[in-house]
Amino acid sequence: MSRQLRTRLPANASSPRLPAGPAKLRAATMLIATALFHVAINPAPAQEGGAKIRPGVSIPLPPQRPADLGGAPAAAPIAPPQTEPPVANQSADSAFGFRPLPPAPRERMHACGLEWQKMKMEGGARDKVWRDFAEECLRQ
């Protein structure tokens, strides 16, 4: 290499720090490995609310399985009781408080919606709610 390509740092300039040397890396790796090994062989402490097992106490095994399993099929399942279908035009509220609106063609529903919007803009719908208004409008 020629002399002109080499550069020298001034005496007062500090050289940039290189990453830790092999000895420091080895020491850090050993520290991490030791910590992981410690966690692996020592389980986390049980939570305070959980059941604690005392040393020397064994947990009982479940009962033995019957030998005749898998032979004859079990009795046929019992069918649920038949209920009557709901009535389509109920006048009273259903169990959930829902009252269906009377059937009407789409054009009539649209006209009622426009009329409701107009009433709201004019302030005439202050004492009414949409459902009551729609029931009256769709019956016409």
Side-chain angles (χ1 to χ4, degrees), residues 28-106:
T29 303
M30 288 300 293
L31 181 66
I32 292 171
T34 305
L36 290 174
F37 179 74
H38 177 71
V39 169
I41 63 170
N42 295 326
Q47 295 180 355
E48 295 179 25
K52 296 181 180 179
I53 299 174
R54 290 176 278 157
V57 175
S58 63
I59 299 173
L61 295 174
Q64 290 292 328
R65 200 169 184 186
D68 62 345
L69 277 181
I78 300 172
Q82 296 288 335
T83 58
E84 295 180 17
V87 180
N89 294 327
Q90 291 179 337
S91 59
D93 295 345
S94 69
F96 299 108
F98 175 73
R99 297 178 311 204
L101 291 173
R106 180 184 170 110

Side-chain angles (χ1 to χ4, degrees), residues 11-24:
N12 61 358
S14 63
S15 63
R17 289 227 168 227
L18 296 175
K24 288 184 180 179

